[in-house]
Amino acid sequence: MAKKKAANGSTKSLVIVESPAKARTISKFLGRGFTVEASIGHVRDLPQGASQIPDAYRDQPWSRLGVNVEEDFEPLYIVPPGKAAHVRKLKTLVKQAKDLYLATDEDREGEAISWHLNELLQPRVPVHRLVFHEITKEAIENALAHPRQIDADLVRAQEARRIVDRLYGYEVSPLLWKKVRPKLSAGRVQSVAVRLIVDRERQRMAFHAASYWDLLATFATAEGEQLEATLVEVDGREIPAGKDFDPATGRLKSGEKAPLVLDEQAANQLADRLKQAQFRVASLEAKPYTSKPYPPFTTSTLQQEANRKLGFTARRTMQVAQSLYENGHITYMRTDSTTLASVAVEAARELVAKEYGPEFLPPSPRVYQTKVKNAQEAHEAIRPAGHPFDFPEQLRDKLSAEEFKLYDLIWKRTVASQMTDARGTRLTMRIAGESTGEASGTRATFQASGKTIEFPGYFRAYVEGSDDPQADLAERDAVLPAVERDEALACRELLPKGHTTQPPARFTEATLTRSLEEMGIGRPSTYASIIDTILAREYVVKRGTALVPTWTAFAVSQLLENHLPSLVDYQFTAQMEDDLDSISRGESKRTEYLRGFYFGDSSGVNPANGSPGLKPQLENKVEQINARDVSRITIGQPEGQEPIFVRVGRYGPFVEQGERKASLQDTMAPDELTVPVALDLLSRAQQAEEPLGICPDTGRPIYLKTGRFGPYVQRAPANEDEKPQNASLLKGMRPEEIDVAAAVKLLSLPRELGPHPTSGEMVVAHNGRFGPYVKCGTETRSLPAGMSPLDVTLPQALELLAQPKAQRRGFGAKREPLKVLEGVSPVTQQPLQVFDGRYGLYVTDGVTNASLPKNSTAEEVTLDVALRLLADRAAAGPTKSQLRKAAKAKAAAKPAAPKKKAAKPKGAAKKRAKKKAAT
């Protein structure tokens, strides 16, 4: 049968997806009658900065927002820099096609990309919207058989969300620049996430530790079987646990009967009294229990579990999952649903019966209820694609190490979700005894707990938080010896044990994601970018896996809580999410919602939630807010002294008490700055005003000081116009070991070692930002461990400098890429390469450089990840460095102005010129 031609003579259909990887996978399932091309992310967006605002709109008062708030909040869309050539290519392909299929992702962002493509390309051929949850042959053919139109409600919802975030960020951020410090940012979800982390740190700062003791006993049966039990009661009074102490005071919580708090001495005395006691089994309680399997993964639970089990950041999890989806291995990874399609349920049940046995298969399929309100955005949970599911081992050779780990996790969770409950028994044993002899009369009760797994059920396939279900089953099966009530037990050992209550744990990426989702704040698909942002803005730093807030985060949260409280109110932010969801369901109007959010009604109140509109809230805030107050965080007030504060200054945080001030090191977490620590820092800073001694060479005083980057020595200047000379301590040096002689040595750096025997240039030893090194001309070499710039000799330096350049990372030397990706950039047609730069790993297409996320490795970078990072970097506009280079190139290309002819001298000037020529 002949292929039907379009009016333009074409017999091919054009399919547009977001990424090249997705395009390659889909093209495998489509015949020669289709051309599959990638949009490489968004093709239009709001301008990112003044340089991207078209000239026609620059004089408009709303242009800096990129949204015409005066005319129904009409967005100003532009093609991001670097995308113009690719858009032209897409327009050409559309003209050559008989029809257009928009096959972007099925969520709001994907729907918006399809709408923007349709608006931008202005196709004159039929347009169809393809939606599928997995990239398999069956799913693609089904989508082709049932195309639909672009969902206007989803597009309006995405646009409303984008505009709300733009107005929030662009209106509130300038206030932070003026009142805290430049280059900060505010965001609808970002600022609430920061507040959550700050609130947890405040709890840790207010926490008062409590200590208590108990006894750990080892008992043995007549047959010699042993068990351990913990002291729970003495003479009818309970021994407290950590939950019995108030975290704000460290004191016992009030109750009907005060428990018995033992200190170390009392615990030892009690152990002595009970050594001769006779013990028996006072009670046995056995309770059956069942454990139900977890639902299949949603975006949020996948991020949490991958963080716990695999150590992946939220960003890394989404990157790996995106690759698995686009290569046809898992279903769509941005979802709030725990529902499985009927074919997936059947596939999972068949696997359970075949691999684990019929006893592990429940009589009917398990159904999980999803909490999400917007069913359009959450058709199915994350699961292996297709049916039957590919076994992880079948894909081991096709996947990277990280892709395999994540696929294995998803496979196990999906299969386990259709397995039977785990069943077992919890056994609680209480052991009572009474002291005899001279210490008779003391009664004590110990308790031991055990658990047996009688039927493992879904544990056989998956245990949350465990990499090895079989090993974890063994650990969970804590069996107690078989005993009977009133049976005598021998006490083999009584060991006093001390305990200290612990403050609330800091958030990790996993627990922050869980808390945001439980509170209904933001969308799980955005959590990875939110965490990236708060780390990049230095609101938060990582200590291991914990998210530790900086003092800047405290200042920003303090400003927003005190002066714009609704913008960081947890319930208010969650309600905003519901309001935006209602637009996607067609229940609310985009323009009405935006008007209420931004302006409020005639009285300035947002009718949706009763809070003030954003614009009225911000009026006069610049005049009302005292920058000194919002940047000052109270630490405490010692008795009889002035209060102690932390101030967030332009050059970093510092602690102050009255006129006394001391710098804070960046490595100190807020909860570590207690009143005693602050007083010690202030005292040391005051001592730093007293010199270590007098420099023997200059006669000027030398000081030992502490700054935000650590301790350093300083030589006073000769006069007020001269800057003091500073020198950081070398690695391994301790401040208390520094005397005048050591300080003079440090201040002697950089130290001239002598001329190079060949070039004659001076060889100099330095202590730099990245460690000690030697330099001769343009050549530098780092000093190896154990070699100090204070002691290195000229021969040692010459030996280092003689080493070939290939043995060092030099900025002047041509660097080899760490990885060259398969394929070329569709924008520059140049190869994509990964390099290790001064500030970390980055990918380049020869024109644009994009940094890789922290903790990434070159091996993890796929072609799609690289293209997405480069597209985001290009969309953000040129960097300052690029703008400077462009300005220099423009100046160099500009033709030189013709030299003006010197004017002929006249009158007295003519006479002077003649006289000068004569002499």
Side-chain angles (χ1 to χ4, degrees), residues 246-260:
D246 188 335
T249 63
R251 299 191 184 95
L252 280 170
K253 295 176 182 177
S254 57
E256 294 181 6
K257 190 173 182 181
L260 175 64

Side-chain angles (χ1 to χ4, degrees), residues 797-876:
L798 293 174
E799 184 181 348
L800 288 171
L801 290 164
Q803 293 177 3
K805 290 183 178 180
Q807 296 187 15
R808 69 184 183 95
R809 280 177 53 196
F811 295 112
K814 183 179 179 181
R815 284 168 289 169
E816 293 298 320
L818 300 178
K819 184 177 183 180
V820 179
L821 303 173
E822 294 182 8
V824 297
S825 165
V827 178
T828 67
Q829 301 305 314
Q830 295 188 40
L832 298 170
Q833 302 178 90
V834 181
F835 286 92
D836 190 2
R838 182 178 181 183
Y839 301 107
L841 300 183
Y842 68 94
V843 62
T844 180
D845 61 3
V847 175
T848 302
N849 297 341
S851 297
L852 299 184
K854 289 182 179 179
N855 303 321
S856 295
T857 64
E859 290 72 23
E860 298 167 354
V861 184
T862 62
L863 178 64
D864 182 57
V865 168
L867 289 173
R868 192 159 56 245
L869 290 171
L870 289 166
D872 291 344
R873 175 60 261 176

Side-chain angles (χ1 to χ4, degrees), residues 381-454:
I382 303 169
R383 62 166 175 84
H387 59 90
F389 303 153
D390 286 332
F391 281 89
E393 286 301 325
Q394 291 177 276
L395 300 177
R396 186 180 284 275
D397 295 337
K398 299 179 182 178
L399 304 177
S400 69
E402 288 189 331
E403 288 171 341
F404 177 81
K405 289 178 182 177
L406 196 65
Y407 181 82
D408 185 61
L409 196 67
I410 293 167
W411 190 93
K412 288 177 177 175
R413 177 93 164 211
T414 305
V415 172
S417 72
Q418 290 300 317
M419 294 177 72
T420 52
D421 296 345
R423 301 190 302 273
T425 302
R426 289 191 180 94
L427 182 67
T428 302
M429 181 191 306
R430 290 177 77 91
I431 302 165
E434 185 172 345
S435 60
T436 59
E438 295 181 3
S440 63
T442 300
R443 291 174 289 109
T445 303
F446 293 80
Q447 184 169 296
S449 299
K451 183 164 66 174
T452 58
I453 297 174
E454 295 164 0

Side-chain angles (χ1 to χ4, degrees), residues 197 506-509 512 531 535 540-542 545-549:
I197 295 169
R506 290 191 177 99
F507 284 106
T508 63
E509 288 197 18
L512 179 63
I531 292 169
L535 286 166
V540 172
V541 295
K542 273 193 169 183
T545 60
L547 300 174
V548 184

Side-chain angles (χ1 to χ4, degrees), residues 9 21 89 119 136 139 157 161 188 191 312 358 382 435 531 570 601 806 821 839:
K89 177 183 177 181
E119 292 288 306
T136 60
R161 185 181 298 275
R188 178 175 60 90
S191 296
F312 289 3
I382 303 169
S435 60
I531 292 169
Y570 299 138
D601 57 19
L821 303 173
Y839 301 107

Side-chain angles (χ1 to χ4, degrees), residues 259-271:
L260 175 64
V261 181
L262 300 174
D263 57 19
E264 184 176 8
Q265 182 180 357
N268 278 299
Q269 291 172 351
L270 178 62

Side-chain angles (χ1 to χ4, degrees), residues 889-900:
K890 186 176 180 181
K894 188 176 179 181
K899 291 184 178 180
K900 292 183 179 180

Side-chain angles (χ1 to χ4, degrees), residues 207-212 240-253 259 261 501:
F207 177 79
H208 283 70
S211 61
Y212 60 98
K243 60 182 175 58
D244 298 313
F245 293 88
D246 188 335
T249 63
R251 299 191 184 95
L252 280 170
K253 295 176 182 177
V261 181
T501 55

